[in-house]
Amino acid sequence: MNLASVTDFLLLAAIWGASFLFMRIGVVEFGALPTAAVRVAVAMLFLLPLMVWRGFGDDFRKHWKTVTLIGLLNSGVPFALFSFALLSITTGLSAILNATVPLFGALIAWGWLHDRPTGSRMLGLVVGFFGMAMLAWDKASIRPDATVASGVWAVLACLLASICYGFAANAAKKYLVGIPPMVAATGSQVGATAGLALPALLSWPAQMPSLQAWGSVIVLGVLCTGVAYILYFRLIEQAGPAKAVAVTFLVPVFAVIYGTLFLGEPVTAWMLGWGAVIIMGTSLATGLVKVPSLRTQA
């Protein structure tokens, strides 16, 4: 990657790492569904004028059904699930679990698109899922005001969110070919906003959230969703999708740092060690890292 791509890569990792911090601040007062709904609504309002200004209005009208449906799976559902999870577990653990997205993506591609992993990629699936199972045992990552049961549900919510991302990535590969990335990004937020609007209104908090909570979800929408999408698609264009997806591995580093500095969250050796195992397995499963002796024919 050139210097511009490296800059975008690091900036995107830092922004997406911060999303867990802002979600945690917002969800305490808003609740899970309103936090996710305000986030995607703000992102939609940010991206729509940019899409029209860049002349993609006709493309959106032509493909709106496809991009909005995939958007609900790619943004609406996982954003709500991660917001729910952050009520019970630390931002660091949730970000590490988010790093399993390429792992689930590879597994779903195998079952749905018949893209069978072989050799080192198969080893990566085994290593990644083993690391994920071990990481889930880390009770130190459960918040002091949460129960063990709620922590388990939170971990399951993160994994379900990662599965949604995996399905959405493969759906995009299958159905969004030829659709401008700006249209896909904007349509994703439109679909997520439409899907979350009613559930969010029904669960809206009785007490008006503070300015700090509002500021957090607005930053989530503009910076961690709108700007992040622009950076991500620019990175795909400049460096390719394989290198762009590797940003997922750096996001937990920033999330752990932010959580420790601003929320006082504990960092355990268990979490860091098994987090590294998950990232190693995911690197193998996605083909970013290969073991020469295991590269065999299907």
Side-chain angles (χ1 to χ4, degrees):
M1 292 191 289
N2 57 34
L3 181 59
S5 296
V6 171
T7 302
D8 283 350
F9 185 91
L10 293 174
L11 184 58
L12 182 59
I15 290 174
W16 270 343
S19 68
F20 295 91
L21 170 66
F22 291 120
M23 272 193 286
R24 169 59 190 175
I25 295 173
V27 76
V28 173
E29 296 187 41
F30 274 96
L33 288 171
T35 296
V38 175
R39 174 182 183 176
V40 295
V42 170
M44 177 188 70
L45 294 175
F46 175 75
L47 289 170
L48 267 174
L50 290 177
M51 182 189 72
V52 174
W53 176 66
R54 294 185 61 182
F56 293 122
D58 290 338
D59 294 283
F60 178 75
R61 283 188 289 270
K62 183 178 179 180
H63 301 289
W64 72 270
K65 290 183 180 179
T66 304
V67 295
T68 53
L69 283 174
I70 292 178
L72 184 60
L73 189 63
N74 189 57
S75 295
V77 176
F79 286 176
L81 288 169
F82 274 115
S83 295
F84 165 77
L86 285 166
L87 289 168
S88 302
I89 61 175
T90 64
T91 57
L93 177 58
S94 59
I96 291 173
L97 292 171
N98 182 61
T100 63
V101 171
L103 197 66
F104 283 111
L107 191 62
I108 292 166
W110 181 11
W112 182 17
L113 304 181
H114 307 294
D115 181 12
R116 181 182 177 184
T118 57
S120 59
R121 295 181 67 191
M122 182 68 76
L123 174 63
L125 287 173
V126 175
V127 170
F129 281 107
F130 179 73
M132 189 169 55
M134 297 303 294
L135 182 64
W137 286 94
D138 185 20
K139 295 180 181 179
S141 293
I142 299 176
R143 295 191 174 280
D145 56 343
T147 64
V148 173
S150 66
V152 171
W153 282 112
V155 169
L156 292 176
C158 289
L159 296 179
L160 181 56
S162 296
I163 291 171
C164 287
Y165 282 134
F167 269 113
N170 284 282
K173 183 178 180 181
K174 187 175 179 67
Y175 299 113
L176 299 187
V177 176
I179 297 178
M182 190 68 190
V183 173
T186 306
S188 179
Q189 304 315 302
V190 172
T193 301
L196 290 176
L198 182 58
L201 287 174
L202 293 176
S203 58
W204 195 263
Q207 183 176 351
M208 178 62 68
S210 66
L211 289 177
Q212 182 186 44
W214 274 106
S216 294
V217 293
I218 290 172
V219 171
L220 264 176
V222 175
L223 180 64
C224 301
T225 309
V227 174
Y229 265 117
I230 294 172
L231 286 172
Y232 181 62
F233 286 120
R234 187 166 71 184
L235 191 60
I236 290 176
E237 182 180 357
Q238 294 176 349
K243 292 180 179 178
V245 77
V247 74
T248 311
F249 308 147
L250 195 56
V251 168
V253 176
F254 285 98
V256 168
I257 292 172
Y258 297 145
T260 303
L261 290 178
F262 299 109
L263 300 176
E265 295 179 343
V267 179
T268 66
W270 184 276
M271 182 175 73
L272 294 178
W274 289 111
V277 170
I278 290 173
I279 291 173
M280 182 190 309
T282 305
S283 301
L284 289 167
T286 55
L288 290 174
V289 175
K290 296 178 181 180
V291 179
S293 61
L294 294 177
R295 282 188 286 181
T296 57
Q297 289 294 99

